[in-house]
Amino acid sequence: MSSPFGGSDRRPALSGPEQHEFLQQQLGRNRVSRRSMIMGSVGAAGAAFLLGNGYGSRAFADQLASTGTIADGFVVNGRHLSFGVDPQREMWVAGQLFNLHHYNAVPSGFKVSVEYGTDHHYGFRMPAELRELVTHVPVWNGVPTGPVKASLTDVLRANQFYVHAEIRNLRPGETYHYRFVYTAGKQIGYTPDATFTTAPDTSARQPFTFTAYGDQGITGAPGTGNTIDNAVSLQPESDSHITDDYYDPTDPDYYDPASKKAPSDIDPVAALVRQITKVRNPHNHTPTRFNLLAGDICYANPSGDAVAIINPDGKGGTQPGSSTKNTPAPPANSGGWDDFDPYVWTSYFSTIEPSSASTPWMFATGNHDVELFHADLDADATTIKNYGSIGYGGHAKRLDLPKNGPSKCPSVYSFTYSNVAVISVDANDLSFEIQGNLGYSDGSQAAWVRKTLAAFRADKHIDFIVAFFHHCAFSTCESHSSDGGVRSTLAPLFAEYEVDLAIQGHNHLYERTNPISYHQATNSGTSSVQAISLSPKEAAVVHPAKDGTTYVVVGSAGRPRYAWSGAVEGDRNFLAGVDTGKPGNGVNVTADAKKEVGPYVSQKDFTDRYESINWSQARYRDYAFIALDVVPARAGQTTSMTLRAINEQGVEFDRVVFKRTAKA
């Protein structure tokens, strides 16, 4: 086994018990105290920060500092909003309290609050809660300590501090200004002024737009440092990050002749965030009112197998390439060490802040969002307790998700905005493909989804129901295709309660189905109508009350692209120029089980059932998101929700209009 620091690692493999004892010794020797956390000094230039996008660069450190004035070395950055249970009257405001001078510095004696009001004078103040997230993980540093064992004397020390304020008793449809205020002794810091807008009263019937995508992550070049005191960042997937060959080198949006920027230098994540900030409702020109992210948020945990992050006895990820110089070397008898890096969240929140500081971002959880430490081997007891038994404890410290779902499922919730109901489903609980968290809710999630959908469909103020989740119920992508567990649980409920749109991630491309008639006996689906979109002026039209649910895959937020399954597959949308307008054009995709080619459905026994399908209507293999323009209407009139698929250049390539008769 080659050492990532050069040379070779010739040590005999350690057994499970030996490895456990050795790691516990290293954690004991490197127990992190408050004093040691404060002592590791790093300049604001950020030479040893190694934080995600722009690792080790002055530019990234400057970006962090620019989000607010500094108090005792601290700034609040990565601001992100979230609706409370009632979006008309509640808003969560959050960010990370980060020290630019002292790595892992503890904000002792700090007071943080949020000032808010209807103008720049604010007028109201809400104390903020400070949540500490502890991550102490042993890391191999490549230095031999004897003839048998390599050194594990490094410990990734990540103590992160997130600030959260829940603002209540707001007025519906009102725009508020806010800023964080943080004090340390006589020093005081502020974030720049930002605004948010609450949901309108349902009687207002105002047109509005929201956006959605999944599988976002962050991009950046591999890092370099490996010092113990500065809690090295472990570079998620830095051996591949954006190794995508789908760029058009002649496109000026991809290649800048002046700077000679190569296609691999393009950051699709930041480009899509910029595009989301540009979205406007076509009727009243208002910006997007919220953004849905269908799981796989930032890839701090790149393995995605929903098992313990450091796992010597089973699957635990794979060792990145030799260019990554600060990732643990896995023992020969193990499933491999992972390269979990909690500091990726710092970079992630900074990346989305141009949107999330003024627009609520509502998250579902994917397989890469399971940050799980199961055994004493993984980390110290405090870390294990912080992250919890299903690996969502870190999200509770970083994110604010409405707490109206089943008690066992922290990322399952619902909210309403005008005449649209939105439900977040945790597909990790249902997935047959990746079973690390399968069944953790003991059926409570499925029961809650049924009850919630029934209530929404009976509510006279709700016309459209949108569900978003990670693993796909219907997709023809070759990498994951469809998940039989997700499909068998959700598809019958969606059919029964006439869910209009299901937003999925997991597959790194865009795909829209025709409205689907679900067949429970075979756990399969067929097209109910042909929903062909030829141009923005010739959009597909769907009537979900009689046509059924449309499923859209939009795992196209920034990760390297996946491919289509089967030789007959190809991009199909009105930018591709291949549609003829004939009903059924290209929707049929044939599978061959013997050759293992074509669409398939993951089964509980880890086999794949190949299926030939007739429902895949629009496909696009590049970076994209969707905007949904909603036009409420009076009772008895037609209300619409228009889906526009938009790429990273801001060009639309697919459109479908969902129509219903308004109930109230």
Side-chain angles (χ1 to χ4, degrees):
M1 180 183 300
S2 297
S3 164
F5 291 96
S8 63
D9 176 14
R10 300 293 185 184
R11 72 193 189 285
L14 302 179
S15 68
E18 288 175 326
Q19 203 170 60
H20 170 84
E21 180 182 359
F22 184 48
L23 281 174
Q24 291 309 299
Q25 290 175 357
Q26 302 311 313
L27 281 167
R29 293 170 185 168
N30 290 273
R31 198 65 66 186
V32 180
S33 68
R34 290 293 186 188
R35 181 179 179 186
S36 66
M37 283 188 289
I38 296 174
M39 288 178 65
S41 177
V42 179
F49 269 38
L50 308 175
L51 296 176
N53 187 0
Y55 290 94
S57 70
R58 178 181 295 274
F60 187 63
D62 290 345
Q63 179 183 350
L64 291 177
S66 69
T67 60
T69 54
I70 300 173
D72 196 26
F74 282 92
V75 295
V76 170
N77 59 67
R79 292 166 295 168
H80 49 285
L81 303 173
S82 174
F83 288 132
V85 172
D86 182 0
Q88 293 185 6
R89 295 174 175 83
E90 299 172 5
M91 187 71 72
W92 279 96
V93 182
Q96 182 173 356
L97 187 62
F98 187 84
N99 194 291
L100 292 171
H101 304 299
H102 298 279
Y103 214 87
N104 282 329
V106 176
S108 178
F110 248 77
K111 294 182 179 180
V112 185
S113 60
V114 173
E115 293 182 336
Y116 67 98
T118 56
D119 57 31
H120 290 87
H121 299 291
Y122 307 109
F124 299 93
R125 177 173 290 199
M126 175 65 65
E129 172 191 359
L130 185 63
R131 303 176 190 169
E132 180 182 13
L133 178 61
V134 178
T135 313
H136 299 162
V137 182
V139 177
W140 178 70
N141 67 5
V143 180
T145 58
V148 176
K149 298 174 182 177
S151 172
L152 281 158
T153 56
D154 198 351
V155 174
L156 172 67
R157 305 172 182 88
N159 280 45
Q160 295 168 293
F161 296 88
Y162 296 95
V163 288
H164 302 260
E166 183 182 18
I167 304 175
R168 296 183 176 183
N169 300 318
L170 300 170
R171 293 197 296 264
E174 186 74 70
T175 296
Y176 290 86
H177 292 257
Y178 79 92
R179 67 177 179 179
F180 278 101
V181 182
Y182 37 99
T183 59
K186 295 182 179 180
Q187 298 186 43
I188 184 168
Y190 303 92
T191 57
D193 179 76
T195 62
F196 63 78
T197 302
T198 55
D201 187 277
T202 54
S203 63
R205 298 186 181 88
Q206 298 172 353
F208 67 96
T209 294
F210 64 99
T211 52
Y213 58 12
D215 300 77
Q216 187 170 23
I218 59 171
T219 55
T224 53
N226 60 6
T227 58
I228 292 174
D229 290 337
N230 291 330
V232 174
S233 183
L234 297 183
Q235 304 301 320
E237 297 189 298
S238 58
D239 59 326
S240 62
H241 63 295
I242 296 298
T243 55
D244 197 339
D245 60 356
Y246 203 67
Y247 298 105
D248 177 1
T250 65
D251 190 329
D253 288 303
Y254 288 132
Y255 182 76
D256 180 6
S259 64
K260 297 182 179 180
K261 182 180 290 185
S264 61
D265 294 328
I266 299 297
D267 183 354
V269 175
L272 287 173
V273 172
R274 287 193 297 269
Q275 290 299 338
I276 286 174
T277 66
K278 297 177 183 178
V279 167
R280 295 294 181 271
N281 182 276
H283 300 277
N284 58 13
H285 306 292
T286 53
T288 180
R289 292 310 190 190
F290 57 91
N291 183 59
L292 306 178
L293 201 145
D296 282 6
I297 302 169
C298 78
Y299 290 80
N301 179 15
S303 73
D305 52 14
V307 297
I309 284 173
I310 298 179
N311 181 30
D313 299 316
K315 295 188 300 180
T318 56
Q319 172 74 3
S322 60
S323 62
T324 303
K325 300 185 182 303
N326 52 1
T327 305
N333 65 333
S334 77
W337 300 88
D338 196 5
D339 49 354
F340 175 66
D341 179 9
Y343 281 109
V344 170
W345 283 95
T346 300
S347 181
Y348 176 76
F349 285 133
S350 180
T351 299
I352 70 171
E353 188 171 11
S355 171
S356 63
S358 57
T359 302
W361 279 50
M362 311 302 293
F363 297 95
T365 42
N367 54 296
H368 284 276
D369 301 319
V370 179
E371 300 172 340
L372 193 59
F373 298 90
H374 262 327
D376 291 340
L377 177 62
D378 295 335
D380 62 10
T382 302
T383 299
I384 296 168
K385 182 179 179 180
N386 267 243
Y387 283 89
S389 61
I390 59 173
Y392 293 166
H395 305 327
K397 299 294 180 72
R398 306 180 190 104
L399 307 174
D400 301 298
L401 306 178
K403 294 178 176 61
N404 60 357
S407 60
K408 292 184 178 181
C409 308
S411 64
V412 178
Y413 58 90
S414 66
F415 65 93
T416 61
Y417 193 103
S418 187
N419 66 334
V420 175
V422 178
I423 183 169
S424 168
V425 178
D426 185 5
N428 290 320
D429 178 44
L430 311 174
S431 173
F432 285 170
E433 180 202 13
I434 300 172
Q435 298 187 14
N437 271 358
L438 176 63
Y440 79 83
S441 78
D442 297 318
S444 63
Q445 176 178 210
W448 179 86
V449 169
R450 174 180 288 279
K451 179 180 178 180
T452 303
L453 291 178
F456 283 153
R457 192 45 73 202
D459 190 330
K460 68 178 183 179
H461 298 294
I462 299 300
D463 296 314
F464 297 105
I465 300 176
V466 175
F468 73 114
F469 49 92
H470 189 63
H471 306 72
C472 296
F474 291 93
S475 175
T476 64
C477 177
E478 73 171 7
S479 295
H480 298 296
S481 215
S482 304
D483 191 296
V486 174
R487 183 187 290 185
S488 63
T489 299
L490 297 183
L493 295 177
F494 291 178
E496 181 177 358
Y497 296 107
E498 300 177 11
V499 170
D500 300 85
L501 179 65
I503 298 171
Q504 311 166 119
H506 204 40
N507 286 319
H508 299 176
L509 37 69
Y510 173 89
E511 183 174 20
R512 174 176 60 84
T513 73
N514 284 323
I516 285 179
S517 295
Y518 175 68
H519 310 297
Q520 191 161 5
T522 56
N523 195 25
S524 62
T526 55
S527 294
S528 63
V529 296
Q530 297 300 321
I532 302 172
S533 176
L534 300 178
S535 73
K537 295 182 179 180
E538 301 171 282
V541 178
V542 172
H543 298 87
K546 64 181 181 67
D547 295 338
T549 303
T550 297
Y551 293 77
V552 59
V553 182
V554 62
S556 46
R559 305 310 291 163
R561 303 299 84 215
Y562 289 166
W564 300 115
S565 62
V568 299
E569 299 273 355
D571 280 8
R572 184 170 60 254
N573 53 80
F574 57 66
L575 284 186
V578 297
D579 278 339
T580 65
K582 296 179 181 179
N585 176 53
V587 298
N588 298 292
V589 185
T590 303
D592 187 326
K594 291 183 178 180
K595 296 181 179 179
E596 297 185 345
V597 173
Y600 61 87
V601 185
S602 299
Q603 304 297 295
K604 193 172 184 179
D605 62 0
F606 296 103
T607 62
D608 296 325
R609 175 176 64 82
Y610 285 83
E611 61 176 5
S612 295
I613 61 92
N614 74 345
W615 39 254
S616 181
Q617 179 57 249
R619 304 187 189 101
Y620 183 72
R621 185 180 170 265
D622 206 351
Y623 302 108
F625 66 98
I626 57 174
L628 293 129
D629 307 313
V630 182
V631 182
R634 295 184 180 278
Q637 297 180 343
T638 298
T639 178
S640 65
M641 180 174 67
T642 300
L643 182 155
R644 293 181 287 141
I646 301 169
N647 67 16
E648 74 173 297
Q649 291 84 42
V651 178
E652 183 180 340
F653 60 87
D654 187 33
R655 180 180 291 211
V656 57
V657 182
F658 302 94
K659 292 186 176 183
R660 282 187 174 271
T661 300
K663 291 186 293 186

